[in-house]
Amino acid sequence: VACVWVGDKYPIEYVTRLRSMVARHLPLRHRFVCYTDRVIDCAAARIPYVNVGRVGGPWPGWWSKMALFHPLPRGGHRTIYFDLDTVIIGDISPLAEMAITFGICANFTKRSAVPNYQCNYGSCVMVMAPMFGREVFDGFSDNVSRFMKSTDHKYGDQWAIEQLHPDATLLQDVVPPGFFIGYRDITPTKPVGASVVVFAGSHKPTSYPYDWIDKEWRE
């Protein structure tokens, strides 16, 4: 299970809380790894890490997610990726057990708010088969300037992923109904049957004064 922590946007608590939520809600044997440029902080917190500067780039911000697609650091293991501001509230075994090559969320903005949104993918959660990704990694690293300077670069890494691998499995189509909850659908009551709450932009776990979010988003 992987996350990406680069720069100073998030404090380390976002990493340690995500690790704890994964441990509580993934009963299968797993290893939590942080892709980061803050290796000293990860080492001090005893968080296994991958130095993103040695995989690709270093690329700024969300572009560092592209390092996930290099299969060698994943060590031949199936990988689940979560954004740091994800809140896990239920069993995530379905993500670990699905036999797919590459799965990514359908874009929540496009599905629920803006049908003509120009990006179909949402890279907040991804699932990768053990050796998947080298073509995506090479396609990006060989054309970094083109992707970052494109008029569509505002859609970020998820837009680049869509251009390089347009036939991914959309995770909402293969998990139980209600498994994912987007921030637009958060209510004061914890949703029954949900496992993953997805945030975006300025919307973070701290933005919602609901007890059930506070209870789940903890170490």
Side-chain angles (χ1 to χ4, degrees), residues 43-219:
R46 296 184 178 181
I47 299 170
Y49 64 84
V50 171
N51 186 337
V52 291
R54 295 184 177 179
V55 180
W59 299 314
W62 55 38
W63 299 109
S64 287
K65 289 188 198 178
M66 302 307 293
L68 293 160
F69 290 90
H70 197 304
L72 291 183
R74 303 202 308 267
H77 298 289
R78 179 168 293 275
T79 300
I80 308 170
Y81 165 81
F82 293 106
D83 273 355
L84 285 178
D85 54 2
T86 305
V87 176
I88 300 173
I89 64 174
D91 184 15
I92 54 174
S93 296
L95 296 175
E97 294 172 335
M98 58 178 57
I100 61 174
T101 300
F102 176 58
I104 190 169
C105 278
N107 192 284
F108 284 85
T109 297
K110 185 178 182 68
R111 279 207 167 189
S112 62
V114 186
N116 63 345
Y117 197 72
Q118 296 302 304
C119 185
N120 294 308
Y121 287 0
S123 61
C124 49
V125 183
M126 296 184 283
V127 177
M128 302 180 188
M131 298 310 296
F132 170 78
R134 187 58 191 255
E135 291 184 1
V136 176
F137 178 87
D138 288 345
F140 179 77
S141 59
D142 291 344
N143 298 277
V144 171
S145 295
R146 179 172 70 85
F147 283 111
M148 290 190 181
K149 294 179 181 179
S150 166
T151 56
D152 292 315
H153 78 280
K154 62 183 178 181
Y155 301 112
D157 61 284
Q158 55 202 17
W159 176 79
I161 296 166
E162 185 176 351
Q163 305 309 303
L164 293 164
H165 191 81
D167 55 348
T169 299
L170 299 179
L171 293 177
Q172 289 95 323
D173 294 340
V174 293
V175 295
F179 184 92
F180 290 106
I181 296 291
Y183 70 85
R184 294 180 180 87
D185 300 316
I186 293 174
T187 63
T189 303
K190 181 180 176 180
V192 176
S195 291
V196 179
V197 184
V198 173
F199 294 87
S202 62
H203 300 271
K204 302 299 176 189
T206 54
S207 303
Y208 296 80
Y210 302 146
D211 290 342
W212 67 268
I213 294 180
D214 290 338
K215 182 178 178 180
E216 295 290 351
W217 193 62
R218 60 180 171 81
E219 294 188 20

